[in-house]
Amino acid sequence: MTRRGNLGATAIRPRRRAQDPMRVYDRLPPELRAWMAEAALPWSPMSCLRLWRKALSEEGCPARARARLDRAEAALLARDRMRGDRP
C-alpha cells in the first residue's frame, strides 16, 4: 500500500528508504522532532538527522542548528517554486 497522496503539493520527487522512517523518527532528538513537526516539507528522518548533526557540530548550539534547518528548508521551497513555474 502506498500513501502517495499524503506528500503535499511539491514537485520534489520522493525516494525509497532503506530503513523504517518511523523507527528513525522515534530516535531523533526532541528538538529535531519538534522542528520536523512544524516543517513545511515532508522531510525524511534520515536526511533531517544528517543535516542536524552537521549543523550542530558546526554551529555548536541547538538554536543556531535549528535556524540552519530553517534556511535549508527555505532553499528547498524556493527551488520547488522555480520548478513549479515551468510548464
Side-chain angles (χ1 to χ4, degrees):
M1 177 174 135
T2 61
R3 297 178 60 177
R4 306 212 27 96
N6 193 23
L7 295 177
T10 180
I12 298 171
R13 292 187 352 220
R15 298 181 186 155
R16 289 203 172 265
R17 305 293 173 213
Q19 297 179 348
D20 178 14
M22 287 310 294
R23 281 192 181 164
V24 176
Y25 180 83
D26 288 342
R27 292 189 304 252
L28 293 177
E31 301 96 344
L32 183 54
R33 282 195 314 226
W35 183 86
M36 286 184 73
E38 298 172 5
L41 293 172
W43 287 83
S44 79
M46 280 306 297
S47 65
C48 239
L49 182 59
R50 196 173 318 123
L51 184 58
W52 174 259
R53 285 178 176 162
K54 183 176 180 181
L56 197 56
S57 72
E58 292 176 4
E59 301 292 342
C61 168
R64 287 194 302 258
R66 188 175 171 135
R68 191 160 165 178
L69 290 174
D70 288 337
R71 289 191 304 272
E73 183 171 53
L76 276 175
L77 286 169
R79 188 172 70 191
D80 188 42
R81 277 193 300 276
M82 289 178 67
R83 285 181 183 168
D85 290 343
R86 296 180 184 155

